[in-house]
């Protein structure tokens, strides 16, 4: 009964309050509060995000090898994070001049609707690649300008190869580049209030770091995950078992 106050302690407290003394209150350490938007509830579970994490970790390794061979420079690509947000939030954060590749995933399944993915390359990476491919050292100056026809043609081949690397063996798909857009404000393939998954990949070239983003509509991704997640998990478990045996 150590927590029960005695009569003497109660009388002392009442005396202090009557005299105007304010008892000291020890403040508890502030708890971390995570914001949650009930108007746009999260659609994907931690398990599904973990599957995406594994897929894009592999994509980052493939992209790193491709860029290193293409530019004859050491390029390191790593997965930064996978975030669920509205398309308007992603689009509003983009600059006026930006290189966005529209990719048709080409999923061979009638139960999955047509899926278009956006691959957005930061201007820093784009101009570094263009300078290197045209014989330069991979340097850039002005990145806040529109792209020329020659630059778009060069990046069209690069973006097409990047789209092909999205191929995943346990999902029947044939990704292909269907176009390049340099003005993010006119892209109409995804509604502004639609939920999307944003995959951020950090690319390091010549000591400079920047971001490549992959934007996937949540509706299409949900269909894909429901159809193929079990197959992916079985495939991954077999792979993990083989690694453990080795």
């Amino acid at each position: 009964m150590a927590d029960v106050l005695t009569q003497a302690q109660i009388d002392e407290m009442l005396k202090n309050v009557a005299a105007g003394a304010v008892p000291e209150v020890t403040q508890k350490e502030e708890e971390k509060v995570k914001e949650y938007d009930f108007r746009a509830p999260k659609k994907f579970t931690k398990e599904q995000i973990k599957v995406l994490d594994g897929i894009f970790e592999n994509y980052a390794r493939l992209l790193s090898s491709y860029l290193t061979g293409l530019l004859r420079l050491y390029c390191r690509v790593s997965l930064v994070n996978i975030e669920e947000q509205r398309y308007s939030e992603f689009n509003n954060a983009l600059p006026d001049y930006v290189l966005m590749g529209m990719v048709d995933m080409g999923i061979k399944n009638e139960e999955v609707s047509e899926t278009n993915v956006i691959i957005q390359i930061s201007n820093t990476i784009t101009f570094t690649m263009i300078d290197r491919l045209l014989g330069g050292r991979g340097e850039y100056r002005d990145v806040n300008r529109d792209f020329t026809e020659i630059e778009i043609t060069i990046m069209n081949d690069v973006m097409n190869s990047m789209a092909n690397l999205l191929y995943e063996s346990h999902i029947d798909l044939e990704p292909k580049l269907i176009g390049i857009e340099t003005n993010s404000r006119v892209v109409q393939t995804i509604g502004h209030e639609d939920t999307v998954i944003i995959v951020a990949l950090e690319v390091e070239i010549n000591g400079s770091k920047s971001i490549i983003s992959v934007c996937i509509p949540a509706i299409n991704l949900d269909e894909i995950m429901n159809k193929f997640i079990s197959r992916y998990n079985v495939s991954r478990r077999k792979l993990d078992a083989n690694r453990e045996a080795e």
Side-chain angles (χ1 to χ4, degrees):
M1 300 293 290
D3 293 334
V4 179
L5 297 177
T6 65
Q7 185 61 44
Q9 290 173 322
I10 295 174
D11 293 339
E12 184 67 24
M13 288 179 62
L14 292 173
K15 183 179 178 181
N16 289 337
V17 171
V22 180
E24 291 186 2
V25 179
T26 56
Q27 292 186 349
K28 292 184 178 179
E29 201 175 318
E30 289 188 7
E31 296 180 0
K32 293 182 179 178
V33 179
K34 186 176 181 181
E35 293 185 4
Y36 187 85
D37 188 355
F38 287 93
R39 294 174 300 176
K42 300 297 181 184
K43 296 180 180 293
F44 296 94
T45 63
K46 289 183 179 179
E47 181 189 357
Q48 291 173 318
I49 295 297
K50 191 174 181 180
V51 171
L52 287 176
D53 190 273
I55 291 173
F56 281 98
E57 281 281 4
N58 182 57
Y59 179 69
R61 288 192 291 272
L62 294 173
L63 190 58
S64 180
S65 298
Y66 167 70
L67 294 178
T68 298
L70 178 70
L71 304 179
R72 299 295 189 270
L73 289 172
Y74 173 68
C75 303
R76 184 184 62 83
V77 183
S78 57
L79 177 64
V80 178
N81 69 337
I82 299 176
E83 186 180 0
E84 184 178 337
Q85 59 182 237
R86 292 182 182 179
Y87 178 70
S88 57
E89 296 174 16
F90 168 71
N91 188 269
N92 291 338
L94 298 177
D96 292 334
Y97 302 114
V98 65
L99 196 74
M100 304 175 73
M102 308 296 141
V103 179
D104 178 8
M105 296 302 287
I107 297 176
K108 300 177 181 178
N109 193 292
E110 295 180 356
E111 297 178 17
V112 179
S113 57
E114 182 180 343
T115 305
N116 290 331
V117 171
I118 297 175
I119 300 179
Q120 181 262 322
I121 308 179
S122 72
N123 291 355
T124 301
I125 298 173
T126 300
F127 286 115
T128 296
M129 293 174 67
I130 290 172
D131 183 73
R132 183 65 177 171
L133 292 172
L134 292 178
R137 296 181 179 180
E139 299 172 348
Y140 61 90
R141 293 181 182 177
D142 183 17
V143 297
N144 297 315
R145 63 172 178 83
D146 204 354
F147 299 91
T148 66
E149 290 296 327
I150 294 176
E151 290 169 341
I152 292 174
T153 302
I154 292 172
M155 290 306 297
N156 188 81
D157 292 337
V158 175
M159 293 286 286
N160 192 50
S161 297
M162 290 174 62
N164 291 334
L165 292 177
L166 285 168
Y167 173 78
E168 188 64 41
S169 59
H170 22 264
I171 297 178
D172 258 349
L173 51 83
E174 291 182 354
K176 62 179 179 180
L177 184 71
I178 56 177
I180 285 182
E181 184 58 64
T182 57
N183 188 342
S184 61
R185 313 301 176 221
V186 301
V187 176
Q188 301 293 330
T189 56
I190 305 175
H192 279 274
E193 294 303 312
D194 289 352
T195 302
V196 295
I197 289 290
I198 305 298
V199 181
L201 302 167
E202 183 182 73
V203 182
E204 182 178 354
I205 306 176
N206 266 0
S208 176
K209 296 180 181 180
S210 200
I211 296 293
I212 290 177
S213 300
V214 182
C215 176
I216 312 170
I219 296 176
N220 303 121
L221 186 57
D222 192 38
E223 293 176 353
I224 297 169
M225 297 290 274
N226 290 336
K227 188 69 182 172
F228 298 108
I229 189 171
S230 58
R231 191 187 308 177
Y232 179 85
N233 285 336
V234 171
S235 170
R236 187 176 59 177
R237 279 197 296 270
K238 289 180 180 178
L239 183 62
D240 290 343
N242 291 336
R243 285 180 177 173
E244 187 175 348
E246 290 174 4

